[in-house]
Amino acid sequence: MQWFAAPEYWLSRLLVQRLLAALYLTGFLAAALQFRALIGSRGMLPVPRFTARIPFRHAPGLFHLHYSDRFFATVSWSGAALSAALVAGLGDAVPLWTSMLCWTALWALYLSIVNVGQTWYSFGWESLLLEAGFLAVFLGNADTAPPVPVLWLLRWLVFRVEFGAGLIKLRGDSCWRDLTCLRFHHETQPMPGPLSWFFHHLPDPLHRVEAAANHVTQLVVPVGLLLPQPVATYAACVVVATQLWLVASGNFAWLNWLTIALALAAVDPARLGLPVHPRDYGPAPVWFEALALALTAAVLVLSYWPVRNMVSRRQVMNRSFNRLHLVNTYGAFGSVNRIRQEVVVEGTDEAVLTRHTVWKEYGFKGKPGDVRRVPRQYAPYHLRLDWLMWFAGISPGYARPWFLPFAARLLVNDPDTLRLLRHNPFPDGPPTHVRATLHLYRFTDWRELRQTGAWWHRTALYEYLAPVDLATLARAGHRPPPAR
């Protein structure tokens, strides 16, 4: 079938696969380095407790068959090693069927992690990584020309990511309709980056331009991805440029980089005047063509649910309609916070608390804390605890399952938990009490920055967690993990 092959897209496929493998590497590294404190056997939301109450059919994966921290680490580091090998070109150095098995293994290993990750893995970019990884299984390698149906499925995926996000904004917060959301978003987004302060202080007319441009790039431009060339290439370039703007303005894990990688599937390098020499490919194996066509049919059937969601007045963001996280619905920032509330966690080593007790603050790697510390750039790496702390500041209900277990681990200087933090104020021994206070944060202005050197101004609002000790938490059923 000559129509099945698109040899002119070989460079686009190469870039998609290598970038996607690099993002899988990032995901597996984040899992390997953070899981013990979050979902390990001694973690805040342990996997064994989860698998004991949730059957395999509701969360399929390896860890329903067996769980130990050593096994989880093996899965994570194996996924990282395989991802790194695919970044280095393993997929093109082996036969087609072996390459497909490599991508299938990558998808299955990460699916196993996401399906037991609970609150820590409840982000849309987890499903997006899984859906993209499953499509990559059928992209072929250097033995075959890029398959046209799968390239179109990647375009369809980017369309759903962008168009779904655009619709949820238009239907959601009124500030998107009156073009004022960007007055607040750069300051109140989950994890600002080093340039967010400057984006926040752009003139108001530019904020309005940002908001209007967002509607165009998410509601109009994605349609171009589904049109013939050269329109699809130009639309993809707009998507890439928009995502790079978002990369510069904040930290959204690998969402933006993954969207960039997927958009490249719509780019015909020749349309951009790039001197890309065509490659000669033999006919694709019949079994490969059959699998790609079967995948296309399956995606078309499964697209019913995300399309129904997009056209619904009750559209929801980031929903998986099946346990394999295939053909999902996406969206982001349907509402924008007008103020920023941060939970500040502190401890003391004094045995008896008085009004003169000295409290020392714990420092987090990414979320705002020290007002003089410029926000850092971590994306595409994902700091899961820092992200959940942002939700905790919005409402205590978001943090109810894990915040007291977090406090319990601070009270024993749990090394796995402390590795998630930037600064432990009690290096010589654990604190006797831990507390949390909710603060109102805002970016300083130019004058305040020059005079004080502070990027943030903060005001204490109220007590978020009254001082607790180990005995108090034990009575509440939150015992810290035993010392190792």
Side-chain angles (χ1 to χ4, degrees), residues 399-416:
R400 188 169 292 117
W402 56 268
F403 196 79
L404 288 180
F406 172 57
R409 281 151 181 79
L410 295 181
L411 286 166
V412 294
N413 269 2
D414 176 54
D416 295 325

Side-chain angles (χ1 to χ4, degrees), residues 37-80:
L38 303 179
I39 59 174
S41 57
R42 296 155 26 96
M44 302 174 216
L45 299 174
V47 170
R49 188 188 304 168
F50 174 81
T51 55
R53 70 176 190 275
I54 303 298
F56 177 90
R57 66 181 182 276
H58 290 160
L62 296 172
F63 302 117
H64 268 87
L65 308 177
H66 170 72
Y67 183 83
S68 70
D69 286 354
R70 179 175 296 181
F71 183 57
F72 192 102
T74 299
V75 168
S76 300
W77 288 113
S78 297

Side-chain angles (χ1 to χ4, degrees), residues 11 34 37 51 57 67 74 109-110 195 208 241 246 253 260 262 307 317 357 359 366 419 447 449:
L11 179 60
Q34 299 179 42
T51 55
R57 66 181 182 276
Y67 183 83
T74 299
L109 292 176
Y110 200 71
L195 298 179
R208 289 180 173 274
L246 296 174
I260 289 171
L262 297 172
V307 169
M317 299 186 297
T357 293
W359 293 91
R419 274 192 284 271
R447 180 183 57 82
L449 178 60

Side-chain angles (χ1 to χ4, degrees), residues 147-227:
V148 169
V150 182
L151 292 175
W152 276 99
L153 293 181
L154 290 172
R155 293 196 204 183
W156 172 234
L157 174 53
V158 180
F159 175 87
R160 282 184 281 120
V161 170
E162 292 289 292
F163 200 70
L167 287 176
I168 203 73
K169 291 181 176 68
L170 204 61
R171 289 172 172 150
D173 202 318
S174 62
C175 71
W176 286 113
R177 295 187 293 276
D178 61 27
L179 306 183
T180 59
C181 272
L182 276 301
R183 292 177 183 173
F184 316 103
H185 169 72
H186 298 302
E187 181 179 64
T188 63
Q189 63 181 299
M191 196 183 304
L195 298 179
S196 299
W197 187 94
F198 300 95
F199 277 86
H200 176 70
H201 288 295
L202 290 173
D204 188 63
L206 286 182
H207 285 319
R208 289 180 173 274
V209 170
E210 277 188 292
N214 179 87
H215 294 320
V216 173
T217 57
Q218 293 194 321
L219 293 172
V220 178
V221 171
V223 177
L225 295 170
L226 305 180
L227 297 177

Side-chain angles (χ1 to χ4, degrees), residues 189 191-196 199 240-258 260 376-380:
Q189 63 181 299
M191 196 183 304
L195 298 179
S196 299
F199 277 86
V240 169
T242 304
Q243 294 299 318
L244 289 174
W245 179 272
L246 296 174
V247 167
S249 66
N251 285 284
F252 302 101
W254 50 76
L255 174 62
N256 308 124
W257 288 109
L258 183 50
I260 289 171
R376 300 299 199 264
Q377 184 69 39
Y378 279 96

